[in-house]
């Protein structure tokens, strides 16, 4: 056995035994909002890696094929026209990177209805009218989203916006549901009076026609809350006596919090939780720069080894992706994109809980599991502000691959929550840029993400119905960051943590009604054409300074879709760091 193989085994074994590493979470205090009204809460959760177990290796194949096919890489028509950036492939080329999608995702034998909801930040809705809410609801509903999780903080104007949301949902006439996601990173929870205030928020809409009801009870969630005692002797006693089993709520709510705790401790909350929301499952948050570098440095020189387990996943991934334009660091982390390891950990913990978990009393069914899916993550606040400046790895078609994982395991997932509809400060919004911004204009101006809603509808339909929908119109989706990951800028905030992880690339997803030719271009002289089958195909092409994005689908010599967005140029010398995504799409007439 080679020395590098031994080192990688040792590294992996260390990670596999890391379940006792304590979780670390950063809380951000409120700061005055740019418009001058009351402060808005901003938050995020960051964890040390707990455990790494074997996950399915990414297989490169054309979508819809029965068996994996070799990676297809096509040489650029003019490879000398633009020099690739340091993190790009040696030559500009298209890589087809997709997994075969089953014609029939696995059935859920319980027959339970599936739901897709989106996280909506009330803190960003200060200027909202009922019409604003109506517009959001109509757009979300048309995009396959069944409801909003209303993230509610401590600003005194937020209950009025929540009331408007419920009113707009009622007036819409749509089957669109709402529920509260109590943001316990900012809501006080130190006394019984604080618990009473939370109960009042819930009771205000508990019987509303558009309140999301699950198993006959009003669905309620949280962001955090794992330290709240409400003046009681423990967190579990606090939530039990002052909230879920308080006389004015007992038997009326279905409580699915996002507690940032080790899933092995779920048993402590058997009288509190009706289910679990795994917030951090939306991104491979364990993949930091140091994590990736350690893994990449341990890759064996001989990538054709037949080793199994985690080591085999790394080796096989590296071998199959060797010509896909990924450097060693990106090769090493590819196995974590869209993986379900954290879902499996949470589901295993839930399976050990009693059947009559929590406030359901006599309901014999299993605890609910709510998973997260997210297309992106970048935040860039300096130390004089919210002091949040980092990315989570979102490359390699994270949104598609995470969705595909959830569709493939839909028999174990009850609800999917899209993170998020409008959290502009963390760059993972899929709704329109409107309302109030938490001083995030520097990285959101001109960076509309609503094109991702087309993919959301496609995957949400597959998750909820158990069948991928028929593709009735040819579609193309493209996105990229606005500058190289290694670019230098005179930005006092500095480069974000983990800036070394992303690729300099344009990402594309095409949905085709029949076999087609797809051309991606980053300049008038730098383009590549590949043939794709009917179905969904994921494509990648390197980009360098001065590059733009253009995509074309042709069939029988005719152009059926062309995407040529304006307002995007890949910068060589940006003035500020921006790792947000520029997203665009086009659909055939």
């Amino acid at each position: 056995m080679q020395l590098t193989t031994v080192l990688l085994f040792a590294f992996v074994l260390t990670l596999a035994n890391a379940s006792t590493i304590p979780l670390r979470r950063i809380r951000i205090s409120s700061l005055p909002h740019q418009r001058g009204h009351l402060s808005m809460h901003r938050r995020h959760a960051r964890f040390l890696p707990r455990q790494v177990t074997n996950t399915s290796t990414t297989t490169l194949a054309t979508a819809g094929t029965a068996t994996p096919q070799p990676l297809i890489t096509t040489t650029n028509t003019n490879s000398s026209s633009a020099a690739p950036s340091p993190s790009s492939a040696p030559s500009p080329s298209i890589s087809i990177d997709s997994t075969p999608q089953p014609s029939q995702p696995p059935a859920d034998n319980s027959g339970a209805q599936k739901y897709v909801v989106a996280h909506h930040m009330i803190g960003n809705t200060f200027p909202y009218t009922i019409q604003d809410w109506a517009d959001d609801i109509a757009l979300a509903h048309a995009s396959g989203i069944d409801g909003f999780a209303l993230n509610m903080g401590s600003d005194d104007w937020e209950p009025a916006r929540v009331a408007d949301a419920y009113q707009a949902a009622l007036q819409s006439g749509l089957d669109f549901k709402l529920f509260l996601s109590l943001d316990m990173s900012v809501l006080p929870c130190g006394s019984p009076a604080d618990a009473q205030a939370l109960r009042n928020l819930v009771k205000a809409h508990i019987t509303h026609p558009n309140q999301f009801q699950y198993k006959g009870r009003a669905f309620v969630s949280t962001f955090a809350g794992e330290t709240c005692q409400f003046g009681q002797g423990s967190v579990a006693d606090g939530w039990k006596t002052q909230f879920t089993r308080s006389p004015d709520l007992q038997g009326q709510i279905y409580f699915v919090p996002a507690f940032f705790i080790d899933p092995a401790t779920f048993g402590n909350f058997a009288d509190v939780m009706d289910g679990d929301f795994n917030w951090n499952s939306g991104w491979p948050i364990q993949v930091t720069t140091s994590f990736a570098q350690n893994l990449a440095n341990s890759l064996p020189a001989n990538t054709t080894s037949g080793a199994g387990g985690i080591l085999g996943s790394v080796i096989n991934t590296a071998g199959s992706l060797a010509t896909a334009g990924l450097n060693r660091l990106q090769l090493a982390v590819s196995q974590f994109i869209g993986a379900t390891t954290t879902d499996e950990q949470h589901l295993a913990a839930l399976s050990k809980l009693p059947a009559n978990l929590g406030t359901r009393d006599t309901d014999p069914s299993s605890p609910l599991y709510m998973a997260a899916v997210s297309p992106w993550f970048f935040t860039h606040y300096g130390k004089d502000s919210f002091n949040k400046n980092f990315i989570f790895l979102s490359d390699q078609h994270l949104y598609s691959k995470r969705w595909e994982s959830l569709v493939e395991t839909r028999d174990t997932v009850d609800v999917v929550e899209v993170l998020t509809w409008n959290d502009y400060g963390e760059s993972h919004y899929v709704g329109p840029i409107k309302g109030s911004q938490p001083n995030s204009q520097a990285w959101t101006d001109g960076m509309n993400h609503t094109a991702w809603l087309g993919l959301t509808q496609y995957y949400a339909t597959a998750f909820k119905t158990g069948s991928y929908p028929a593709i009735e119109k040819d579609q193309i989706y493209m996105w990229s960051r606005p500058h190289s990951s290694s670019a230098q800028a005179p930005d006092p905030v500095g480069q974000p943590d983990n800036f070394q992880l992303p690729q300099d690339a344009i990402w594309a997803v095409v949905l085709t009604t029949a076999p087609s030719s797809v051309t991606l271009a980053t300049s008038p002289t730098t383009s590549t054409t590949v043939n794709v089958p009917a179905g969904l195909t994921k494509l990648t092409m390197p980009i360098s300074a001065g590059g733009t994005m253009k995509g074309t689908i042709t069939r029988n010599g005719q152009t059926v879709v062309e995407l040529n967005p304006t307002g995007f140029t890949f910068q060589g010398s940006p003035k500020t760091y921006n790792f947000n995504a520029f997203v665009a799409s086009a659909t055939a007439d």
Side-chain angles (χ1 to χ4, degrees):
M1 181 178 293
Q2 294 184 353
L3 177 60
T4 50
T5 304
V6 174
L7 290 174
L8 184 55
F9 265 124
F11 177 69
V12 168
L13 288 175
T14 299
L15 291 174
N17 291 313
S19 60
T20 58
I21 295 177
L23 304 179
R24 176 170 59 90
R25 186 158 175 271
I26 298 175
R27 296 179 182 271
I28 306 301
S29 59
S30 297
L31 290 180
H33 181 256
Q34 48 158 3
R35 289 177 177 253
H37 60 70
L38 292 176
S39 62
M40 295 190 304
H41 54 281
R42 313 302 305 169
R43 75 287 174 278
H44 74 268
R46 292 185 71 184
F47 284 72
L48 293 175
R50 288 187 56 257
Q51 185 177 8
V52 177
T53 58
N54 190 21
T55 59
S56 299
T57 302
T58 303
T59 303
L60 302 189
T62 51
T65 57
T67 57
Q69 302 296 315
L71 172 70
I72 299 175
T73 302
T74 306
T75 303
N76 192 285
T77 55
N78 186 359
S79 60
S80 62
S81 62
S85 60
S87 61
S88 299
S91 62
S93 59
I94 285 183
S95 296
I96 296 182
D97 180 3
S98 60
T99 52
Q101 294 172 13
S103 59
Q104 185 72 20
D108 182 352
N109 295 327
S110 71
Q113 184 174 351
K114 306 291 186 181
Y115 299 92
V116 174
V117 299
H119 198 78
H120 202 299
M121 298 289 294
I122 302 300
N124 290 344
T125 66
F126 178 76
Y128 261 45
T129 64
I130 289 181
Q131 185 60 52
D132 288 313
W133 280 112
D135 293 342
D136 280 7
I137 289 168
L139 180 59
H141 183 267
S143 304
I145 295 170
D146 301 306
F148 285 146
L150 302 176
N151 178 270
M152 190 168 186
S154 55
D155 297 316
D156 61 4
W157 49 266
E158 292 191 41
R161 299 302 176 273
V162 169
D164 287 346
Y166 276 92
Q167 182 64 23
L170 180 62
Q171 293 177 359
S172 73
L174 301 172
D175 185 18
F176 195 84
K177 303 302 182 183
L178 306 172
F179 64 91
L180 291 185
S181 173
L182 302 168
D183 196 328
M184 303 313 301
S185 69
V186 293
L187 287 165
C189 58
S191 69
D194 294 332
Q196 180 66 63
L198 295 183
R199 297 197 303 271
N200 290 343
L201 293 175
V202 172
K203 289 190 296 181
H205 308 287
I206 198 168
T207 60
H208 192 280
N210 293 85
Q211 166 65 42
F212 180 30
Q213 301 283 337
Y214 195 84
K215 298 187 182 298
R217 302 178 186 232
F219 197 96
V220 179
S221 187
T222 73
F223 177 87
E226 66 280 355
T227 63
C228 294
Q229 295 190 17
F230 301 106
Q232 308 306 302
S234 69
V235 173
D237 284 344
W239 280 108
K240 174 184 176 180
T241 64
Q242 301 300 307
F243 194 72
T244 60
R245 300 222 174 186
S246 176
D248 51 355
L249 283 186
Q250 183 172 4
Q252 300 180 64
I253 65 171
Y254 196 94
F255 190 49
V256 183
F259 287 162
F260 296 101
I261 57 177
D262 186 337
T265 66
F266 281 174
N268 297 336
F269 297 89
D271 292 324
V272 174
M273 298 167 58
D274 291 308
D276 165 46
F277 175 29
N278 187 0
W279 173 277
N280 280 326
S281 62
W283 312 273
I285 66 169
Q286 75 272 44
V287 180
T288 62
T289 298
S290 59
F291 178 96
Q293 287 174 339
N294 287 336
L295 197 58
N297 292 338
S298 300
L299 282 176
N302 178 10
T303 59
T304 61
S305 170
I310 302 173
L311 177 63
S313 296
V314 174
I315 292 173
N316 294 335
T317 300
S320 62
L321 293 176
T323 58
L326 305 180
N327 61 32
R328 285 179 66 85
L329 181 145
Q330 293 150 359
L331 292 174
V333 303
S334 61
Q335 64 176 314
F336 300 103
I337 305 296
T340 58
T341 306
T342 180
D343 303 291
E344 293 162 6
Q345 293 168 347
H346 281 241
L347 286 164
L350 285 175
S351 69
K352 297 177 181 178
L353 294 173
N356 62 342
L357 176 70
T359 56
R360 289 174 298 174
D361 299 324
T362 60
D363 185 350
S365 62
S366 301
L368 177 142
Y369 180 64
M370 183 158 66
V373 62
S374 185
W376 213 251
F377 197 111
F378 165 64
T379 186
H380 193 55
Y381 293 104
K383 294 181 180 179
D384 59 343
S385 179
F386 299 120
N387 194 22
K388 295 167 52 176
N389 183 29
F390 64 97
I391 70 168
F392 289 149
L393 180 62
S394 305
D395 277 2
Q396 303 184 42
H397 300 97
L398 171 66
Y399 199 43
S400 284
K401 291 180 179 177
R402 175 62 179 164
W403 265 119
E404 288 165 9
S405 293
L406 292 172
V407 172
E408 183 63 26
T409 59
R410 63 184 297 273
D411 57 325
T412 65
V413 180
D414 302 291
V415 183
V416 171
E417 185 164 324
V418 179
L419 305 180
T420 60
W421 182 262
N422 66 333
D423 196 337
Y424 313 116
E426 295 179 350
S427 305
H428 42 62
Y429 50 95
V430 296
I433 300 174
K434 58 188 287 190
S436 299
Q437 283 215 41
N439 292 325
S440 53
Q441 292 88 337
W443 60 92
T444 57
D445 283 355
M447 309 292 272
N448 187 6
H449 289 179
T450 52
W452 272 326
L453 287 173
L455 288 179
T456 304
Q457 181 187 37
Y458 178 78
Y459 286 117
T461 300
F463 172 76
K464 291 187 291 183
T465 67
S467 298
Y468 278 98
I471 299 172
E472 299 178 349
K473 292 185 177 183
D474 296 282
Q475 305 160 53
I476 184 168
Y477 301 85
M478 298 180 71
W479 61 93
S480 181
R481 291 178 177 83
H483 63 72
S484 172
S485 61
S486 60
Q488 298 294 309
D491 185 339
V493 179
Q495 291 172 297
D497 289 351
N498 304 320
F499 75 90
Q500 302 93 332
L501 295 175
Q503 295 169 245
D504 292 347
I506 54 174
W507 307 94
V509 173
V510 293
L511 280 72
T512 47
T513 59
S516 310
S517 293
V518 176
T519 300
L520 299 185
T522 57
S523 78
T525 56
T526 309
S527 63
T528 307
T529 300
V530 296
N531 294 324
V532 302
L536 183 147
T537 306
K538 300 187 285 290
L539 305 167
T540 307
M541 183 176 180
I543 190 170
S544 56
T548 57
M549 67 168 68
K550 182 179 179 180
T552 307
I553 301 175
T554 60
R555 189 178 304 117
N556 300 323
Q558 301 294 318
T559 297
V560 294
V561 179
E562 181 176 270
L563 173 59
N564 192 14
T566 60
F568 173 81
T569 300
F570 199 71
Q571 304 168 37
S573 301
K575 295 181 180 179
T576 60
Y577 294 113
N578 188 351
F579 284 66
N580 195 1
F582 179 94
V583 191
S585 67
T587 301
D589 296 332

